[in-house]
Amino acid sequence: MTTSSPTRYIVRPEGRIAYDVQGAGPLVVLVPGMGDLRATYRYLAPELVAAGYTVATTDLRGHGDSDITFSSYGDPETAGDIDALIDELGGRAVIGGNSLAAGAAVIVAAGHPEKVSGLVLFGPFVRDPQASGFETWMFRTMMAPLWVTTMWKAYIPTLYKGTKPADFEQYRASVVASLKRPGYGKAFSLTTKQTDHAPAEASLGKVAAPAIVIMGDSDPDFKDPAGEATWIGEKLHADVVMVPEAGHYPQSQRPEITTPAVLGFLRTVAPVA
């Protein structure tokens, strides 16, 4: 995503979190999932800016342009970073989170309802997946620091099951190049090992903000994507949008479907003056 302003940083206790800001109007904060970059919102963010919103896109700690000096990673840590960014930018925000960041968004909304006017959850992990001990062990073994970059490069296409963005190969190359930098593969590996979605699940019943769940109907991270989306929708009293021919990244795989859904939601929870 091309921006007209340089990357900004917020200072956290153990390092800096990178973000950029575009536009003017109600604040929308967009956060990617583990192993990804804030450019995952390269199709969505410009449309929100054009519609009259201030859009901040941020990298996870240990990812992208953020620092790798952190000792802990996961949902609560990401929630703290999102909370700090909202404070930095001021006012209430709609938080958009993909995968892990969806769980973090739930935690912020539960803990700081005065700061959150809505949640947009893409392919959300708000509870630990139903996986066997062997499946968990296999994934964490795949994500060991020595070969995490090679394995993630091979694994990324499976997460884009269904329609791939037109720039998929270019985007995957940018993700891999980011991970190849010294220390970033290790930070990603630590994220996979330390992430626990139990705090997000425990926060679901405390969320008062309106929400929308946007799930790819072929999301390979869930054994039953429609069932998971329905469960989350019931817990949060949220609207659910199932995106056909999309995997874990509906925001970039099917923007012609997801962008209108997000804009429609924003008009109800954070209308432009």
Side-chain angles (χ1 to χ4, degrees):
M1 182 175 62
T2 301
T3 62
S4 58
S5 59
T7 301
R8 304 183 188 184
Y9 297 89
I10 52 171
V11 178
R12 302 288 288 138
E14 294 184 314
R16 301 177 308 161
I17 301 296
Y19 70 99
D20 52 43
V21 178
Q22 302 176 82
L27 177 61
V28 181
V29 175
L30 300 175
V31 191
M34 68 168 70
D36 207 0
L37 305 172
R38 65 188 190 273
T40 191
Y41 296 107
R42 62 197 179 278
Y43 296 107
L44 177 61
E47 296 297 328
L48 301 190
V49 171
Y53 291 91
T54 298
V55 180
T57 52
T58 177
D59 284 320
L60 294 180
R61 53 176 57 195
H63 291 62
D65 292 318
S66 294
D67 289 342
I68 55 172
T69 50
F70 297 94
S71 60
S72 62
Y73 300 84
D75 291 10
E77 290 83 358
T78 303
D81 297 336
I82 296 170
D83 180 42
L85 179 58
I86 293 172
D87 285 346
E88 176 79 9
L89 297 175
R92 289 165 59 84
V94 174
I95 306 173
N98 186 198
S99 195
L100 171 157
V106 164
I107 293 172
V108 178
H112 301 283
E114 75 284 358
K115 298 181 183 181
V116 181
S117 51
L119 297 176
V120 182
L121 309 179
F122 302 97
F125 272 112
V126 297
R127 60 175 173 174
D128 288 319
Q130 296 177 340
S132 67
F134 176 75
E135 289 172 323
T136 301
W137 175 82
M138 275 296 297
F139 180 74
R140 289 180 175 173
T141 300
M142 285 170 53
M143 297 297 111
L146 284 177
W147 49 75
V148 64
T149 301
T150 300
M151 296 302 296
W152 191 243
K153 180 180 180 180
Y155 191 62
I156 288 173
T158 69
L159 295 173
Y160 281 84
K161 189 174 180 181
T163 302
K164 290 181 173 60
D167 63 350
F168 172 73
E169 292 298 341
Q170 179 184 354
Y171 184 69
R172 179 171 69 154
S174 68
V175 172
V176 171
S178 180
L179 281 173
K180 283 183 176 179
R181 295 173 298 160
Y184 280 85
K186 180 180 179 181
F188 174 36
S189 181
L190 284 173
T191 305
T192 67
K193 291 178 180 177
Q194 295 181 4
T195 295
D196 176 4
H197 301 301
E201 184 175 4
S203 298
L204 288 171
K206 304 171 187 175
V207 174
I212 184 171
V213 177
I214 301 177
M215 180 79 81
D217 69 353
S218 301
D219 192 328
D221 269 344
F222 303 96
K223 293 179 176 171
D224 178 8
E228 185 69 12
T230 298
W231 182 84
I232 298 169
E234 290 173 351
K235 291 292 183 180
L236 293 176
H237 308 289
D239 294 331
V240 174
V241 176
M242 296 303 300
V243 183
E245 298 182 18
H248 200 50
Y249 306 102
Q251 69 274 13
S252 63
Q253 291 183 260
R254 300 297 308 273
E256 74 279 11
I257 296 174
T258 56
T259 298
V262 173
L263 283 170
F265 177 73
L266 290 178
R267 291 187 190 104
T268 66
V269 301
V272 175

